[in-house]
């Protein structure tokens, strides 16, 4: 991409340019903002200081918008913006906001990098920068201003140990001026004379600024002498090209600040029939919507109709898209992923989600084969809008960016809902080579990078992993992939437990789902759900394990030893209950044998499958009810319940939905428990190619995925 670089003249913005060139981009323009008032010290830019960002006419960020808009007007081929953000969310969010409004891509290759390693990397790769401002305990203006970062490196690390400073100066501890780097092809800057000005004589952390009075450029004789340890300076020379100068013709205009009209056309409910489900958790509910009748087989129209209906259903609870925590988007053709996104952004936008856009997972499912329309959506929403959203749109070396209107992760009520992660190389956003196992390893590393932003780890805090596998991946590759997942998580867990000096680690449930295709034609997508303990105590009732003889015998089912083999569970007492239930063909044979009656035997294959599904659905709800009850949870605590059915059974949603709903109604009547919430099901039926607890054998007839959170009044 052709890039305009935001530059301050310091080490970070210069090294960010070097990284951009290293990853194949071309710097064609430099952009710098100076204060209108000569008396204002530009080193105190408030772009780094304020929380959040909303468009505010006349502020510095709007100046950046006007500047970059002018760059784009004069150099139309510019498609990206480079910045030196390392740890400042304030700076990153503002740059991303401007980029989003101008249709530009934000490049932030220093984002979330280890500052000690990054500083050393800058020095090793030829960044010669001196301090021009100091404002931290241990940094003395008369002693440390004008010193090279290479000279101060060891001392900065000593201050980090003593006082916890940021060694790259991300906390405002110091600012720098780059005098030389591999980008400076012809000459380096030499300071001849400067003045040290004290802004504050604070005895603990005095503030001082270096003002250059005289300088000159020293010509470089031998460009080859700039060769850095990783031999990338030649790349800089080759790819710098021509840097344009944009004339100062900037004008403010009122239309800059007009908000977008994000309203969608109303949908005529009478013209469509929908499949709708809803859980009844008082804190967080799951709501799913799909069409019974496709809009002429057009994915765009199907999704538009589903989104509009979902919006209407949310409004019925007094909710909007800002209440949504997570979205599962199922589409029938992954080749139309971009079309789906274009429709999606008409409804779910930054403006409509001021607390942060929800995280999302998008996979292709065999929807049409089982009587669904081409788009099917499930949302997790809550009346409590108190959530922490991580939405990094910048391309960086940290983790894959989310340039669209969905975030990497959302923390809500101690549960971290993470977007589906692919095996993408973050700085290039390309799938890694090496097949399914390599993609899985990188996807896990990306998940861990996201988790660290919430001070947790996928190896110790995960409740559940759902691993989507493309049908293109062979059974043997899937077997290797599962072994890789178990090995990596085990290694991560050992490291985390040693580092934290604790023995606390959750043992997550893992579910593998076989699907037709994934975004970017990936082999694998990982969707983790984590429990982030905030240390608060919840008063809970004493839970007593129910023995098999004491458990209710709905439909004549009795506890048997083989039942345990169907269940994977993770329980955080009084807080979280995660369960996967697997019914194989062998399990189904046992279920039908124990519940067979003389009039249920017939020769019609469809009726046999129907009878099998009726009995198996009852068994599923019997066992799920027992697991929840044994651990102190009830149906009112249900956040989400997905029932995966393979398309190979050739059973349509029109048959499956009433079958499972009838079983749940029978359970409600027999148990006298509040299981239902009216006529709508509390579960979502999701069509798949296969699912199971083993990656190499995803041949379950029924797979249930349940997540419950204690619904305290």
């Amino acid at each position: 991409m052709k890039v305009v670089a935001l530059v301050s003249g310091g080490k970070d913005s210069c090294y960010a340019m070097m990284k951009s060139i290293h990853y194949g981009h071309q710097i064609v323009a430099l952009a710098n903002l100076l204060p209108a008032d000569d008396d204002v010290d530009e080193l105190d830019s408030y772009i780094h200081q304020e929380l959040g960002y909303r468009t505010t006419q006349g502020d510095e960020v709007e100046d950046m918008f006007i500047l970059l808009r002018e760059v784009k007007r004069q150099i139309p081929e510019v498609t990206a913006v480079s910045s030196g953000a390392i740890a400042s969310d304030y700076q990153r969010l503002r740059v991303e906001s401007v980029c989003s409004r101008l249709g530009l891509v934000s490049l932030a290759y220093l984002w979330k990098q280890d500052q000690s390693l990054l500083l050393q990397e800058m020095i090793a790769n030829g960044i010669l920068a001196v301090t021009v401002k100091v404002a931290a305990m241990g940094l003395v203006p008369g002693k440390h201003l004008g010193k090279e970062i290479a000279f101060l490196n060891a001392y900065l690390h000593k201050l980090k140990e003593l006082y916890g400073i940021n060694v790259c100066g991300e906390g405002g501890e110091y600012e720098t001026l780059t005098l030389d780097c591999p980008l400076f092809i012809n000459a380096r800057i030499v300071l001849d004379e400067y003045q040290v000005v004290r802004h504050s004589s604070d005895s603990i952390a005095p503030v001082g600024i270096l003002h250059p009075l005289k300088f000159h450029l020293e010509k470089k004789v031998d460009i080859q002498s700039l060769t850095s340890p990783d031999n990338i300076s030649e790349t800089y020379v080759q790819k710098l090209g021509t840097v344009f100068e944009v004339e100062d013709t900037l004008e403010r205009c009122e239309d800059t600040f007009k908000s977008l009209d994000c309203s969608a056309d109303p949908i005529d409910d009478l013209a469509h029939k929908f499949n709708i489900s809803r859980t009844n958790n008082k804190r967080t509910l799951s709501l799913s919507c799909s069409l019974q009748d496709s809009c002429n087989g057009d994915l765009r129209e199907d999704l538009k109709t589903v989104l509009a209906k979902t919006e209407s259903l949310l409004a019925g609870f007094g909710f909007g898209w800002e209440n949504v925590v997570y979205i599962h988007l199922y589409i029938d053709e992954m080749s139309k992923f971009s079309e789906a996104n274009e429709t999606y952004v008409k409804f779910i936008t930054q403006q409509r989600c001021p607390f942060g856009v929800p995280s999302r997972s998008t996979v292709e499912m065999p929807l049409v084969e089982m009587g669904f329309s081409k788009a099917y959506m499930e949302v997790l929403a809550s009346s409590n809008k108190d959530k922490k959203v991580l939405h990094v749109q910048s391309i960086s070396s940290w983790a894959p960016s989310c340039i669209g209107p969905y975030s990497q992760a959302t923390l809500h009520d101690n549960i971290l809902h993470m977007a589906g992660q692919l095996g993408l190389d973050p700085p290039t956003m390309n799938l890694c080579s090496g097949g399914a196992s390599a993609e899985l390893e990188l996807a896990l590393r990306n998940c861990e990078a996201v988790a660290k932003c919430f001070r947790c780890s996928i190896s110790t805090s995960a409740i559940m992993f759902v691993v989507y596998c493309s049908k293109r991946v062979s059974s043997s590759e899937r077997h290797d992939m599962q072994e890789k997942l178990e090995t990596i998580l085990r290694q991560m867990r050992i490291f985390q437990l040693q580092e934290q000096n604790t023995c606390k680690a959750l043992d997550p449930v893992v579910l593998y789902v076989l699907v037709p295709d994934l975004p970017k034609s990936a082999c694998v997508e990982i969707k983790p759900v984590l429990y982030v303990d905030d240390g608060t105590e919840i008063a809970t009732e004493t839970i007593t394990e129910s023995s098999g003889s004491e458990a209710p015998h709905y439909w004549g089912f009795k506890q048997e030893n083989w039942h345990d083999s169907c269940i994977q569970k993770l329980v955080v007492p009084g807080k979280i209950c995660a369960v996967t239930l697997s019914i194989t063909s062998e399990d189904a044979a046992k279920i039908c044998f124990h519940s067979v009656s003389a009039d249920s035997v017939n020769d019609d294959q469809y009726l046999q499958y129907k009878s099998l599904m009726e009995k198996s659905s009852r068994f599923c709800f019997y066992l799920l009810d027992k697991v929840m009850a044994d651990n102190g949870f009830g149906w009112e605590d249900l956040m989400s319940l997905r029932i995966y059915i393979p398309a190979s059974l050739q059973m349509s949603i029109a048959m499956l939905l009433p079958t499972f709903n009838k079983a749940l109604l029978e359970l409600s009547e027999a148990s006298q428990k509040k299981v239902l919430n009216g006529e709508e099901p509390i579960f979502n039926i999701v069509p798949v190619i296969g699912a199971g607890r083993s990656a190499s054998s995803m041949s379950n007839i029924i797979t249930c995925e349940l997540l419950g959170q204690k619904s305290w009044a």
Side-chain angles (χ1 to χ4, degrees), residues 370-383:
M370 289 183 61
F372 289 87
S373 59
K374 286 183 170 289
Y376 173 15
M377 196 167 74
E378 175 194 334
V379 302
L380 193 67
S382 175
S383 57

Side-chain angles (χ1 to χ4, degrees), residues 3 10 15 165 167 170 227 235 251 306-307 314 351 402 416 500 527 530 565 607 678 690:
V3 178
Y15 197 58
I165 75 160
V167 295
E170 275 296 280
T227 303
T235 305
E251 296 180 1
V306 166
L307 280 160
L314 288 169
Q351 292 93 330
C402 287
L416 183 61
Q500 297 171 4
K527 182 180 63 107
L530 281 67
S565 66
L607 292 178

Side-chain angles (χ1 to χ4, degrees), residues 334-632:
M334 191 54 69
S335 61
K336 296 186 177 179
F337 179 76
S338 59
E339 292 181 21
N341 260 347
E342 289 171 8
T343 305
Y344 185 91
V345 300
K346 293 179 181 178
F347 289 81
I348 303 170
T349 64
Q350 296 281 1
Q351 292 93 330
R352 287 185 165 193
C353 303
F355 307 104
V357 289
S359 304
R360 191 183 85 181
S361 172
T362 305
V363 294
E364 180 181 321
M365 294 295 191
L367 300 178
V368 175
E369 287 182 55
M370 289 183 61
F372 289 87
S373 59
K374 286 183 170 289
Y376 173 15
M377 196 167 74
E378 175 194 334
V379 302
L380 193 67
S382 175
S383 57
N384 177 11
K385 298 178 184 177
D386 185 15
K387 58 185 177 182
K388 183 179 179 182
V389 177
L390 179 67
H391 184 199
V392 179
Q393 301 179 68
S394 301
I395 294 177
S396 68
S397 299
W398 161 71
S401 64
C402 287
I403 297 175
Y406 45 92
S407 59
Q408 280 90 352
T410 302
L411 178 62
H412 180 264
D413 269 355
N414 300 115
I415 298 181
L416 183 61
H417 305 270
M418 203 177 291
Q421 284 284 356
L422 306 178
L424 292 173
D425 176 43
T428 63
M429 291 297 288
N430 294 326
L431 278 174
C432 68
S433 58
S437 291
E439 285 186 29
L440 178 129
E441 181 170 0
L442 187 51
L444 286 172
R445 303 295 178 193
N446 292 336
C447 289
E448 181 70 356
V450 173
K452 283 182 177 178
C453 294
F454 296 87
R455 300 183 184 278
C456 60
S457 169
I458 60 171
S459 63
T460 54
S461 300
I463 301 167
M464 177 183 295
F465 289 97
V466 178
V467 183
Y468 297 109
C469 304
S470 168
K471 68 177 182 180
R472 298 190 310 276
V473 182
S474 68
S475 176
S476 61
E477 286 180 296
R478 296 200 303 267
H479 177 269
D480 294 343
M481 186 180 69
Q482 181 173 346
E483 287 192 340
K484 173 78 76 172
L485 182 142
E486 293 168 355
T487 300
I488 291 173
L489 289 180
R490 184 168 58 251
Q491 291 171 343
M492 280 186 177
R493 187 176 297 116
I494 292 170
F495 174 78
Q496 284 293 323
L497 295 178
Q498 289 175 342
E499 189 177 65
Q500 297 171 4
N501 193 26
T502 180
C503 58
K504 291 182 179 180
L506 299 179
D507 186 16
V509 297
V510 181
L511 177 64
Y512 294 91
V513 180
L514 194 61
V515 300
D517 202 2
L518 293 166
K520 293 183 175 285
S521 297
C523 294
V524 61
E525 176 178 322
I526 300 176
K527 182 180 63 107
V529 181
L530 281 67
Y531 173 67
V532 182
D533 191 356
D534 60 4
T536 58
E537 293 293 329
I538 295 180
T540 61
E541 298 177 0
T542 301
I543 301 169
T544 305
E545 281 280 333
S546 302
S547 65
S549 59
E550 296 172 348
H553 300 162
Y554 308 127
W555 298 291
F557 292 123
K558 296 180 180 179
Q559 176 64 27
E560 298 187 36
N561 292 335
W562 66 272
H563 291 182
D564 292 338
S565 66
C566 300
I567 292 289
Q568 274 187 304
K569 67 178 180 180
L570 179 141
V571 177
V572 180
K575 297 181 181 181
I576 304 294
C577 180
V579 182
T580 60
L581 187 156
S582 302
I583 304 296
T584 64
S585 55
E586 292 81 8
D587 297 329
K590 295 174 186 175
I591 294 165
C592 292
F593 174 79
H594 287 292
S595 59
V596 72
S597 59
D599 59 356
S600 66
V601 178
N602 57 74
D603 296 326
D604 186 285
Q605 187 178 29
Y606 173 79
L607 292 178
Q608 283 182 3
Y609 274 132
K610 188 173 185 294
S611 176
L612 178 147
M613 196 58 67
E614 287 174 351
K615 293 161 187 173
S616 297
S617 64
R618 291 168 180 160
F619 178 78
C620 288
F621 289 132
Y622 154 75
L623 207 51
L624 289 173
D625 179 76
K626 183 180 184 304
V627 171
M628 286 196 293
D630 285 351
N631 291 280

Side-chain angles (χ1 to χ4, degrees), residues 240-271:
L240 266 174
T242 301
V243 177
F244 292 86
E245 179 179 355
V246 177
E247 295 297 327
D248 186 7
T249 59
L250 310 184
E251 296 180 1
R252 297 185 181 275
C253 62
E254 296 299 321
D255 62 359
T256 297
F257 309 102
K258 292 180 181 178
S259 60
L260 297 174
D261 179 13
C262 300
S263 58
D265 297 330
I267 297 296
D268 182 6
D269 281 2
L270 298 177

Side-chain angles (χ1 to χ4, degrees), residues 276-318:
I276 296 168
S277 71
R278 174 177 64 86
T279 57
N280 53 11
N281 188 299
K282 293 179 181 178
R283 295 168 66 165
T284 308
L285 62 87
S286 174
L287 183 71
S288 75
C289 180
S290 66
L291 273 168
Q292 293 182 16
D293 52 330
S294 178
C295 300
N296 301 316
D298 185 274
L299 184 145
R300 219 187 265 261
E301 286 301 313
D302 283 2
L303 181 56
K304 179 182 176 182
T305 305
V306 166
L307 280 160
K309 181 62 175 178
T310 301
E311 187 173 286
S312 174
L313 292 168
L314 288 169
F317 295 100

Side-chain angles (χ1 to χ4, degrees), residues 108-119:
Y109 286 116
L110 312 188
W111 177 249
K112 287 293 181 186
Q113 298 302 291
D114 180 279
Q115 291 191 41
S116 294
L117 296 177
L118 181 59
L119 184 61

